[in-house]
Amino acid sequence: MSNILHVSVSCIESILDAPATLSKPNKRWHLAFATIYCSRALHSLLNKKNKKTSKLPLSIPSFVVLNVEPHLAFSNIEHTILTEVVKKKNLEQLREFGGVAGVADALKTDAKNGIHGDVEDIAWRQEVFGSNTYPRPPGKSFFYFVLEAFKDLTILITLASATLSLGFGIKEHGLKEGWYDGGSIFVAVFLVISVSAVSNFRQNRHFEKLSKVSNNNKVEVVRDGHRHQISIFEVVVGDVVYLKIGAQVAADGLFLDGHSLQVDESSMTGESDHVEVNCHHNPFLFSGTKVADGYGQMLVTSVGMDTTWGEMMSTISRDLNEETPLQARLNKLTSSIGKVGLAVAFLVLVVLVVRYFTGNTEDENGNQEFNGGKTKANDIVNAMVRIIAAAVTIVVVAIPEGLPLAVTLTLAYSMKRMLADQAMVRKLSACETMGSATTICTDKTGTLTLNQMKVTKYWLGKEPDEDSSSIDTHVLKLIQQGVALNTTGSIYRATSGSEFEFSGSPTEKAILSWAVLELGMDMEAIKQNYSILHVEAFNSEKKRSGVLMRKKADNKIHVHWKGAAEMILAMCSSYYDASGSIKCLDDGERITFEQIIEGMAASSLRCIAFAHKQIPEEKQEISESRQKLKEDSLTLIGLVGIKDPCRPGVRKAVEDCQYAGVNVRMITGDNVFTARAIATECGILRPDQDMNGEAVVEGEVFRNYTPEERMEKVDKIRVMARSSPFDKLLMVQCLKQKGHVVAVTGDGTNDAPALKEADIGLSMGIQGTEVAKESSDIIILDDNFASVATVLKWGRCVYNNIQKFIQFQLTVNVAALVINFVAAVSAGEVPLTAVQLLWVNLIMDTLGALALATEKPTKELMEKPPVGRTEALISNIMWRNLLAQALYQIAILLTLQFKGESIFGVSEEVNDTLIFNTFVLCQVFNEFNARKLEKKNVFKGLHKNKLFLGIIGITIILQVVMVEFLKKFANTERLNWGQWGVCIGIAAASWPIGWVVKSIPVSEKPFLSYLKW
């Protein structure tokens, strides 16, 4: 007590001794603090209950209350200096801080239990050290997309024409009426630009949201002794983060504990060689790097903008608006149609100019427009402007600007809907490529199965063990050691009465759960009795993990192995029987064990074996210095069978894919028997399919085939067992060489090459590593194969919707071009004015694209075989449909053009309005025909597409306004009920025509096979 008092008094004296340099206000603060501090110290000394804790009380409360110096809790370390120490890998300066342990202490972190992690603690750390986020470069504004739309050559030509038309129109007819033509073109251009800009702006915003979602990775931290999964953005300085193979390092930090940890720093340094991280030589870890091998825990020292990765990423804008293959093909198609449109426009221009100067045109009063020298220059200029405006309008209506817009809309819409269906698109082109997929190579665990594993069988020796109490004590201890020390998982229990919480991979959790609940394992007690010398971490190539450890009580060294049963069995020369005796594992016994493993596998169980070896004393020093785990002459402890049930609905999803002509292949690391059992259960294999042994193959066998053999057999393979990531890559390459469009699912770091090689890489959102996700095109958020089948359906839907719109668009293009060209050549005038053609163009480009691009997937899409990689974009079926409708429209409208006045007994103005109204209504009715390319019933599922019906309604309402109320603006005359009835009747005839035409068979050979779109 006297010692404590002496310490306290000396400390109080030092506090009371205020520095002479302090100003008067600061001296008063110092005196106030000293008074409070002394009173608290004396009070704690007099309080008997606090004898054990009567050390100097922390000064945090005093400082916080008085605000003498904020954040004094972290005053032992200068954060900027610590940040630089880690960035520059300054080992000497780190030692000055007291090493990693000293830094952890300064950051108030318990190396084992982490930070407290309550709300105040997290908020405090974020305030002092910042959050693990970085500012993104500002997104593209709406005006950026408006300017982009203005850069379109057609828009610029149209604006030039509109300017001329406006100028000469006002000059000729005065401001009151002269602005109509030019002004209407401006309005139409404004509408086209607005819709295009709004669509692109919204898509860009959607991409930005997706980017945020895809960057929001989950990391595992320990807080208050409990392992949590949190967002990478919630990581704070002082956090203890768990690292495993494939994980992205969440922040800059220091290595605390772990084994065989190797990091890929290529994203930071460009060096492809993996860097080993350990306590002694290189404890530094950097944000954005990936764990290549091993596992460990790190102490976070810098987050967000204080990390090199944060600085780098804040300057990088991830542009997801890449041009997809389909968009490239459509741009080519647009260009080809545009050239035809320009040619027609030029011919119309030439014909109209020739007709004008040869005196074959008349004005509104019936007088000849051009009379040689008598005609005023002003009239000639006005006539030329009118002719040029008509020619430019033909160009505008000919160029299908709606095609790229339709792709943008349908991709953006499908991406949004796919996200709701548990598929996040990282690469736009994957949406459409998926529609062409001919084969899917899928993982088993977590994709076809639930990934909810449970130990259901345990074999000790050659006997199944039903009751853990009958296990020999020595063998039981060995099993518990093998489970507790050779694992990357952990166990948490809040109180002695609460339930256990298990962390780690599903396999690890299943084994830990079994060992604790069935065998009564105390993991902490075992860990305290042993020190781990070396670890060989599990990976998908070795399919096993091992640990070298020393028992503290007697200093004896032991090796424990755990992994795929047949691989561990091959390393054993003896086994423990049910009584705990060691028996020799001769050839006969080995065959018995192999049969046991096959039997468990045939019951769809994943078979894991445990083996052990005590290192003889004479070899202990060699083993310890080399830190190499013994891999032969082991003793088999036992076998466990882990059940992972198939996902509900997976069999139907597989059958749907097969019905759609897409082969499903399963590639798994499990043995042949487990793989065959699961594949049969999921419907990938028929029970009688593998009679000749070609449908199921092991990875090693496939690898050892000659290239010719592989190419010959690859189409017949349905299941590849015991495969390595290299085997998966080899399979993908072979299938692509055979002409398949290959989709691959993957979750591990080693799956990255196959995911990149495949036409469509599908990574798993839950079990997938960050490396796998970054290598993929689409992330399956729920790890479910049914979602893969949904992606396939959406891929086909995208392609189908684009084809529907192309058919609709080209029908209008062909009809408008032919009508205007024939009328211009024969009559010397264009029946559809600039405003009218621009209105039709607006219906085609925007409203039509919106209506047809948002059709949802139907069952019919999965009834057809996959679309080939090189198949023509415009199929023979589409040519049949569009030519029939275009010819009907041309025939009707040219009849109205030349005979309409006499047939209906109307004036020329009313007849022109009839032509315009009939043309627009034909497109409205043809929009229904475009919903189904092959099926005759175009109304099926119509009630489900509210957007389509809404757009049709809006189009009709706007058309009524154009005809009935915008007489001068649109050059129309009001129509009576009878005339509206005639227009609707003529347009409605396109429905029965479409029904009849779809009965006409078409050949397989592309109609325009010589044209490359």
Side-chain angles (χ1 to χ4, degrees):
M1 182 72 180
S2 62
N3 290 339
I4 294 167
L5 185 61
H6 175 73
V7 172
S8 299
V9 170
S10 64
C11 286
I12 289 164
E13 283 174 355
S14 67
I15 289 167
L16 289 170
D17 186 21
T21 54
L22 287 178
S23 62
K24 280 187 178 180
N26 283 344
K27 279 184 179 178
R28 281 199 290 272
W29 277 116
H30 191 88
L31 187 62
F33 161 67
T35 306
I36 294 168
Y37 186 93
C38 293
S39 63
R40 288 193 171 194
L42 290 168
H43 180 264
S44 67
L45 291 169
L46 293 168
N47 192 344
K48 289 181 181 179
K49 289 182 182 178
N50 292 338
K51 276 181 184 177
K52 289 181 182 176
T53 58
S54 59
K55 294 176 185 177
L56 277 176
L58 287 172
S59 55
I60 297 168
S62 302
F63 282 110
V64 172
V65 173
L66 294 171
N67 285 322
V68 174
E69 186 180 342
H71 317 310
L72 200 63
F74 303 112
S75 62
N76 296 353
I77 197 160
E78 183 67 40
H79 185 240
T80 51
I81 296 172
L82 178 60
T83 301
E84 286 304 309
V85 166
V86 175
K87 280 184 183 177
K88 293 177 180 176
K89 295 189 175 185
N90 192 331
L91 209 54
E92 287 299 318
Q93 205 166 353
L94 178 63
R95 290 196 183 107
E96 287 175 21
F97 283 132
V100 179
V103 173
D105 193 44
L107 294 174
K108 308 298 176 195
T109 299
D110 185 301
K112 185 182 176 187
N113 296 321
I115 60 174
H116 288 300
D118 54 36
V119 177
E120 289 177 16
D121 187 25
I122 300 298
W124 194 16
R125 288 172 187 275
Q126 285 181 338
E127 186 185 339
V128 179
F129 303 114
S131 63
N132 198 25
T133 54
Y134 43 84
R136 289 267 178 188
K140 293 170 183 172
S141 67
F142 175 72
F143 294 103
Y144 169 84
F145 294 102
V146 171
L147 287 170
E148 283 297 303
F150 267 111
K151 289 177 184 176
D152 186 275
L153 183 62
T154 312
I155 294 292
L156 293 173
I157 294 169
T158 312
L159 283 171
S161 174
T163 306
L164 290 170
S165 181
L166 188 67
F168 288 115
I170 291 169
K171 187 184 176 189
E172 190 177 356
H173 301 292
L175 182 62
K176 193 176 180 181
E177 293 185 2
W179 68 274
Y180 289 145
D181 262 16
S184 63
I185 297 172
F186 272 120
V187 170
V189 168
F190 171 76
L191 285 170
V192 169
I193 286 172
S194 298
V195 172
S196 177
V198 167
S199 170
N200 287 329
F201 177 67
R202 285 188 64 188
Q203 189 188 15
N204 191 65
R205 292 284 295 273
H206 182 61
F207 282 145
E208 284 176 6
K209 284 179 186 174
L210 279 182
S211 182
K212 284 178 186 173
V213 173
S214 64
N215 289 333
N216 187 12
N217 305 322
K218 294 292 179 188
V219 294
E220 202 166 14
V221 298
V222 60
R223 289 178 178 174
D224 204 20
H226 187 194
R227 273 168 87 158
H228 300 269
Q229 271 215 337
I230 62 168
S231 164
I232 194 169
F233 304 131
E234 293 171 9
V235 171
V236 293
V237 169
D239 258 327
V240 174
V241 178
Y242 282 85
L243 302 172
K244 58 183 180 181
I245 293 177
Q248 179 178 317
V249 178
D252 284 5
L254 297 166
F255 178 81
L256 277 173
D257 188 24
H259 297 280
S260 310
L261 188 66
Q262 290 196 331
V263 176
D264 176 7
E265 293 185 356
S266 58
S267 57
M268 305 291 292
T269 63
E271 296 293 330
S272 57
D273 291 340
H274 296 158
V275 178
E276 188 173 345
V277 180
N278 52 46
C279 292
H280 309 294
H281 307 295
N282 178 30
F284 306 103
L285 288 149
F286 300 101
S287 176
T289 57
K290 307 287 191 307
V291 179
D293 200 3
Y295 61 89
Q297 294 95 49
M298 69 174 278
L299 171 69
V300 175
T301 57
S302 307
V303 292
M305 287 300 291
D306 288 334
T307 66
T308 312
W309 182 255
E311 289 172 13
M312 188 169 70
M313 290 305 287
S314 64
T315 61
I316 296 171
S317 175
R318 186 179 172 199
D319 191 9
L320 284 166
N321 295 325
E322 88 274 15
E323 187 178 67
T324 72
L326 187 56
Q327 280 176 319
R329 289 173 79 186
L330 281 172
N331 287 337
K332 229 174 176 182
L333 177 64
T334 304
S335 173
S336 301
I337 295 169
K339 287 171 187 173
V340 174
L342 279 169
V344 172
F346 181 73
L347 278 172
V348 168
L349 181 71
V350 170
V351 168
L352 291 179
V353 168
V354 168
R355 286 182 67 91
Y356 176 79
F357 284 111
T358 54
N360 288 321
T361 55
E362 297 175 349
D363 59 18
E364 293 172 0
N365 303 318
N367 301 322
Q368 188 176 317
E369 281 190 299
F370 183 75
N371 291 311
K374 297 176 185 178
T375 309
K376 294 176 183 177
N378 190 32
D379 291 338
I380 294 171
V381 170
N382 285 340
M384 287 301 104
V385 168
R386 203 165 55 245
I387 289 167
I388 291 167
V392 167
T393 310
I394 289 173
V395 174
V396 173
V397 83
I399 295 175
E401 295 155 320
L403 286 180
L405 182 64
V407 181
T408 305
L409 286 170
T410 194
L411 287 175
Y413 175 75
S414 61
M415 280 175 72
K416 195 175 178 182
R417 294 307 300 259
M418 282 165 80
L419 196 59
D421 286 340
Q422 302 299 316
M424 189 179 84
V425 178
R426 293 184 74 252
K427 207 172 173 187
L428 263 179
S429 55
C431 278
E432 59 201 45
T433 313
M434 196 65 191
S436 304
T438 58
T439 188
I440 299 171
C441 298
T442 177
D443 282 342
K444 176 187 79 73
T445 307
T447 310
L448 297 172
T449 60
L450 282 168
N451 214 7
Q452 294 172 0
M453 300 193 184
K454 186 181 179 184
V455 174
T456 56
K457 285 257 177 126
Y458 172 65
W459 287 69
L460 181 56
K462 295 182 285 184
E463 301 295 326
D465 187 79
E466 304 296 337
D467 183 14
S468 59
S469 61
S470 64
I471 300 174
D472 177 74
T473 311
H474 176 61
V475 175
L476 184 64
K477 283 181 180 177
L478 286 174
I479 296 166
Q480 291 176 345
Q481 289 165 22
V483 173
L485 300 168
N486 187 12
T487 182
T488 54
S490 67
I491 301 165
Y492 175 78
R493 197 180 195 186
T495 61
S496 58
S498 60
E499 289 189 1
F500 290 98
E501 289 181 33
F502 302 99
S503 304
S505 70
T507 307
E508 295 283 12
K509 285 195 284 187
I511 293 170
L512 285 172
S513 171
W514 166 72
V516 170
L517 302 177
E518 298 285 329
L519 307 182
M521 179 183 79
D522 185 345
M523 193 167 177
E524 285 305 311
I526 294 170
K527 281 189 171 182
Q528 284 168 13
N529 293 329
Y530 290 86
S531 55
I532 294 172
L533 303 175
H534 185 63
V535 169
E536 280 207 21
F538 178 90
N539 67 38
S540 53
E541 286 181 21
K542 294 182 289 188
K543 301 196 190 315
R544 64 180 187 267
S545 64
V547 61
L548 182 73
M549 60 205 183
R550 183 197 296 279
K551 191 174 183 179
K552 292 177 181 176
D554 56 12
N555 270 345
K556 287 183 178 176
I557 294 178
H558 301 259
V559 174
H560 274 277
W561 281 97
K562 174 184 74 181
E566 64 268 36
M567 294 191 172
I568 298 295
L569 182 65
M571 296 158 66
C572 295
S573 60
S574 56
Y575 69 95
Y576 284 99
D577 66 6
S579 64
S581 304
I582 296 178
K583 296 283 182 73
C584 179
L585 190 64
D586 57 26
D587 291 342
E589 302 288 352
R590 197 176 292 278
I591 290 167
T592 305
F593 275 105
E594 285 171 356
Q595 288 170 347
I596 292 168
I597 293 166
E598 286 175 18
M600 290 168 80
S603 304
S604 304
L605 296 180
R606 171 175 281 186
C607 200
I608 306 289
F610 294 90
H612 163 263
K613 180 75 175 178
Q614 184 178 323
I615 308 294
E617 286 185 28
E618 63 272 13
K619 293 185 181 178
Q620 282 193 13
E621 286 184 20
I622 300 169
S623 184
E624 196 174 347
S625 61
R626 286 187 185 170
Q627 298 217 327
K628 179 82 174 116
L629 272 65
K630 191 171 178 63
E631 296 187 5
D632 57 359
S633 303
L634 304 176
T635 303
L636 183 71
I637 303 171
L639 305 167
V640 293
I642 300 174
K643 180 71 176 174
D644 185 13
C646 279
R647 283 182 178 273
V650 77
R651 189 179 182 93
K652 187 183 182 302
V654 168
E655 286 171 355
D656 287 347
C657 290
Q658 289 170 339
Y659 186 65
V662 179
N663 287 318
V664 180
R665 293 172 166 84
M666 186 176 89
I667 302 176
T668 177
D670 283 335
N671 71 31
V672 171
F673 305 99
T674 309
R676 185 183 281 115
I678 293 287
T680 306
E681 197 177 334
C682 294
I684 294 170
L685 267 184
R686 293 190 305 275
D688 60 334
Q689 194 168 357
D690 194 34
M691 291 296 112
N692 55 5
E694 289 187 338
V696 181
V697 68
E698 281 195 334
E700 190 179 357
V701 175
F702 183 74
R703 201 183 316 145
N704 293 331
Y705 283 151
T706 63
E708 293 75 21
E709 284 178 317
R710 272 200 294 271
M711 293 298 285
E712 183 192 336
K713 297 184 178 185
V714 71
D715 276 330
K716 297 171 187 173
I717 296 170
R718 290 290 170 270
V719 177
M720 189 192 284
R722 281 285 175 250
S723 66
S724 69
F726 176 74
D727 300 326
K728 185 185 269 193
L729 176 63
L730 206 56
M731 167 78 90
V732 172
Q733 288 169 339
C734 287
L735 288 167
K736 283 182 76 175
Q737 285 171 26
K738 293 279 279 188
H740 289 283
V741 178
V742 187
V744 168
T745 72
D747 56 8
T749 303
N750 292 323
D751 289 327
L755 288 167
K756 282 184 176 176
E757 179 70 25
D759 295 289
I760 314 103
L762 303 153
S763 66
M764 301 295 117
I766 300 169
Q767 286 299 312
T769 62
E770 296 314 314
V771 177
K773 288 176 188 176
E774 284 190 14
S775 302
S776 66
D777 306 310
I778 297 173
I779 300 173
I780 305 298
L781 298 175
D782 61 354
D783 290 17
N784 193 345
F785 185 80
S787 299
V788 177
T790 306
V791 171
L792 178 69
K793 198 182 287 184
W794 271 109
R796 292 190 173 193
C797 181
V798 167
Y799 199 85
N800 193 248
N801 284 351
I802 299 299
Q803 285 191 314
K804 291 173 187 176
F805 182 70
I806 290 171
Q807 180 184 297
F808 172 68
Q809 175 96 60
L810 290 185
T811 305
V812 189
N813 284 127
V814 171
L817 280 174
V818 173
I819 292 159
N820 276 336
F821 180 71
V822 172
V825 171
S826 56
E829 60 182 22
V830 180
L832 298 168
T833 66
V835 177
Q836 290 168 355
L837 280 177
L838 282 163
W839 165 233
V840 173
N841 200 40
L842 189 67
I843 296 172
M844 289 189 306
D845 282 2
T846 54
L847 298 176
L850 203 60
L852 293 170
T854 54
E855 287 276 349
K856 293 177 185 176
T858 59
K859 288 181 181 177
E860 296 157 13
L861 290 172
M862 299 295 272
E863 292 172 2
K864 296 187 288 184
V867 178
R869 201 193 291 262
T870 55
E871 199 165 309
L873 195 57
I874 308 174
S875 65
N876 286 359
I877 289 164
M878 290 165 67
W879 278 118
R880 177 195 67 192
N881 297 341
L882 77 87
L883 287 174
Q885 294 292 340
L887 287 171
Y888 169 69
Q889 289 177 22
I890 291 163
I892 288 295
L893 296 177
L894 287 178
T895 303
L896 288 174
Q897 169 70 16
F898 295 111
K899 299 291 180 182
E901 291 174 41
S902 57
I903 292 171
F904 297 108
V906 292
S907 65
E908 186 183 344
E909 289 79 12
V910 173
N911 189 50
D912 285 346
T913 305
L914 282 170
I915 292 169
F916 167 58
N917 200 32
T918 304
F919 186 57
V920 171
L921 290 174
C922 276
Q923 311 323 319
V924 171
F925 280 90
N926 194 37
E927 215 162 329
F928 286 88
N929 285 329
R931 287 189 70 242
K932 307 285 180 186
L933 297 178
E934 295 179 64
K935 300 286 179 181
K936 292 181 179 179
N937 183 6
V938 295
F939 306 107
K940 189 177 179 182
L942 185 63
H943 63 285
K944 293 178 183 176
N945 195 341
K946 303 288 191 296
L947 185 62
F948 182 90
L949 293 170
I951 286 169
I952 293 293
I954 290 167
T955 307
I956 292 169
I957 290 165
L958 290 173
Q959 179 61 16
V960 170
V961 170
M962 286 281 284
V963 172
E964 299 295 322
F965 303 105
L966 299 177
K967 181 183 173 185
K968 289 184 178 179
F969 179 77
N971 284 336
T972 55
E973 293 289 331
R974 286 193 168 191
L975 300 178
N976 58 38
W977 287 105
Q979 289 162 345
W980 269 100
V982 168
C983 292
I984 292 167
I986 292 169
S990 64
W991 281 351
I993 289 168
W995 192 86
V996 170
V997 163
K998 283 173 185 174
S999 304
I1000 301 169
V1002 291
S1003 67
E1004 292 294 319
K1005 190 180 178 183
F1007 179 63
L1008 293 177
S1009 55
Y1010 53 87
L1011 275 179
K1012 300 283 183 187
W1013 295 113

